PDB file of all heavy atoms in Angstrom:
ATOM      1  N   LEU B2209      52.118 130.211 162.802  1.00 83.00           N
ATOM      2  CA  LEU B2209      53.086 129.744 163.887  1.00 83.00           C
ATOM      3  C   LEU B2209      54.295 130.771 163.953  1.00 83.00           C
ATOM      4  O   LEU B2209      54.797 131.050 165.082  1.00 83.00           O
ATOM      5  CB  LEU B2209      53.523 128.336 163.682  1.00 83.00           C
ATOM      6  CG  LEU B2209      52.558 127.311 164.270  1.00 83.00           C
ATOM      7  CD1 LEU B2209      53.070 125.847 163.753  1.00 83.00           C
ATOM      8  CD2 LEU B2209      52.655 127.244 165.846  1.00 83.00           C
ATOM      9  N   VAL B2210      54.808 131.081 162.796  1.00 80.00           N
ATOM     10  CA  VAL B2210      56.069 131.677 162.799  1.00 80.00           C
ATOM     11  C   VAL B2210      55.984 133.183 162.759  1.00 80.00           C
ATOM     12  O   VAL B2210      56.791 133.880 163.322  1.00 80.00           O
ATOM     13  CB  VAL B2210      56.840 131.181 161.509  1.00 80.00           C
ATOM     14  CG1 VAL B2210      58.206 131.863 161.484  1.00 80.00           C
ATOM     15  CG2 VAL B2210      56.977 129.673 161.571  1.00 80.00           C
ATOM     16  N   LEU B2211      54.978 133.681 162.098  1.00 75.00           N
ATOM     17  CA  LEU B2211      54.977 135.159 161.835  1.00 75.00           C
ATOM     18  C   LEU B2211      53.936 135.982 162.676  1.00 75.00           C
ATOM     19  O   LEU B2211      54.084 137.196 162.834  1.00 75.00           O
ATOM     20  CB  LEU B2211      54.669 135.453 160.344  1.00 75.00           C
ATOM     21  CG  LEU B2211      55.781 134.924 159.401  1.00 75.00           C
ATOM     22  CD1 LEU B2211      55.308 135.230 157.880  1.00 75.00           C
ATOM     23  CD2 LEU B2211      57.124 135.465 159.649  1.00 75.00           C
ATOM     24  N   GLN B2212      52.915 135.301 163.066  1.00 72.00           N
ATOM     25  CA  GLN B2212      51.863 136.157 163.800  1.00 72.00           C
ATOM     26  C   GLN B2212      51.911 135.900 165.313  1.00 72.00           C
ATOM     27  O   GLN B2212      52.329 134.881 165.802  1.00 72.00           O
ATOM     28  CB  GLN B2212      50.435 135.725 163.183  1.00 72.00           C
ATOM     29  CG  GLN B2212      50.277 136.200 161.808  1.00 72.00           C
ATOM     30  CD  GLN B2212      49.235 135.297 161.158  1.00 72.00           C
ATOM     31  OE1 GLN B2212      48.505 134.590 161.756  1.00 72.00           O
ATOM     32  NE2 GLN B2212      49.249 135.335 159.751  1.00 72.00           N
ATOM     33  N   LYS B2213      51.299 137.024 165.938  1.00 61.00           N
ATOM     34  CA  LYS B2213      51.055 136.818 167.390  1.00 61.00           C
ATOM     35  C   LYS B2213      49.976 135.820 167.458  1.00 61.00           C
ATOM     36  O   LYS B2213      48.976 135.956 166.860  1.00 61.00           O
ATOM     37  CB  LYS B2213      50.588 138.191 167.836  1.00 61.00           C
ATOM     38  CG  LYS B2213      51.446 138.719 168.958  1.00 61.00           C
ATOM     39  CD  LYS B2213      50.812 140.060 169.407  1.00 61.00           C
ATOM     40  CE  LYS B2213      51.500 140.429 170.672  1.00 61.00           C
ATOM     41  NZ  LYS B2213      51.019 141.725 171.267  1.00 61.00           N
ATOM     42  N   HIS B2214      50.115 134.905 168.250  1.00 55.00           N
ATOM     43  CA  HIS B2214      48.881 133.965 168.448  1.00 55.00           C
ATOM     44  C   HIS B2214      48.826 133.472 169.865  1.00 55.00           C
ATOM     45  O   HIS B2214      49.721 133.699 170.692  1.00 55.00           O
ATOM     46  CB  HIS B2214      48.938 132.836 167.420  1.00 55.00           C
ATOM     47  CG  HIS B2214      49.864 131.679 167.932  1.00 55.00           C
ATOM     48  ND1 HIS B2214      49.334 130.469 168.206  1.00 55.00           N
ATOM     49  CD2 HIS B2214      51.156 131.687 167.981  1.00 55.00           C
ATOM     50  CE1 HIS B2214      50.405 129.733 168.442  1.00 55.00           C
ATOM     51  NE2 HIS B2214      51.408 130.375 168.341  1.00 55.00           N
ATOM     52  N   ASN B2215      47.773 132.813 169.984  1.00 60.00           N
ATOM     53  CA  ASN B2215      47.397 132.437 171.373  1.00 60.00           C
ATOM     54  C   ASN B2215      48.146 131.201 171.738  1.00 60.00           C
ATOM     55  O   ASN B2215      48.238 130.160 171.063  1.00 60.00           O
ATOM     56  CB  ASN B2215      45.870 132.148 171.342  1.00 60.00           C
ATOM     57  CG  ASN B2215      45.251 132.196 172.704  1.00 60.00           C
ATOM     58  OD1 ASN B2215      45.852 131.884 173.544  1.00 60.00           O
ATOM     59  ND2 ASN B2215      43.962 132.547 172.580  1.00 60.00           N
ATOM     60  N   THR B2216      48.719 131.196 173.000  1.00 62.00           N
ATOM     61  CA  THR B2216      49.524 130.000 173.562  1.00 62.00           C
ATOM     62  C   THR B2216      48.742 128.836 173.562  1.00 62.00           C
ATOM     63  O   THR B2216      49.258 127.678 173.226  1.00 62.00           O
ATOM     64  CB  THR B2216      49.937 130.279 174.922  1.00 62.00           C
ATOM     65  OG1 THR B2216      49.570 131.458 175.381  1.00 62.00           O
ATOM     66  CG2 THR B2216      51.542 130.114 175.037  1.00 62.00           C
ATOM     67  N   GLU B2217      47.515 128.856 173.862  1.00 67.00           N
ATOM     68  CA  GLU B2217      46.637 127.703 174.090  1.00 67.00           C
ATOM     69  C   GLU B2217      46.603 126.979 172.695  1.00 67.00           C
ATOM     70  O   GLU B2217      46.251 125.781 172.678  1.00 67.00           O
ATOM     71  CB  GLU B2217      45.213 128.063 174.401  1.00 67.00           C
ATOM     72  CG  GLU B2217      45.117 128.671 175.782  1.00 67.00           C
ATOM     73  CD  GLU B2217      43.976 129.583 175.972  1.00 67.00           C
ATOM     74  OE1 GLU B2217      42.940 129.301 175.303  1.00 67.00           O
ATOM     75  OE2 GLU B2217      44.046 130.562 176.701  1.00 67.00           O
ATOM     76  N   MET B2218      46.875 127.634 171.685  1.00 76.00           N
ATOM     77  CA  MET B2218      46.648 127.066 170.355  1.00 76.00           C
ATOM     78  C   MET B2218      47.970 126.354 169.826  1.00 76.00           C
ATOM     79  O   MET B2218      47.880 125.655 168.839  1.00 76.00           O
ATOM     80  CB  MET B2218      46.236 128.142 169.294  1.00 76.00           C
ATOM     81  CG  MET B2218      44.850 127.840 169.006  1.00 76.00           C
ATOM     82  SD  MET B2218      43.854 129.209 168.524  1.00 76.00           S
ATOM     83  CE  MET B2218      44.870 130.507 168.087  1.00 76.00           C
TER      84      MET B2218
END
Side-chain angles (χ1 to χ4, degrees):
Chain B
L2209 273 170
V2210 181
L2211 299 177
Q2212 290 155 18
K2213 235 187 175 177
H2214 80 113
N2215 203 326
T2216 1
E2217 292 154 34
M2218 252 150 16

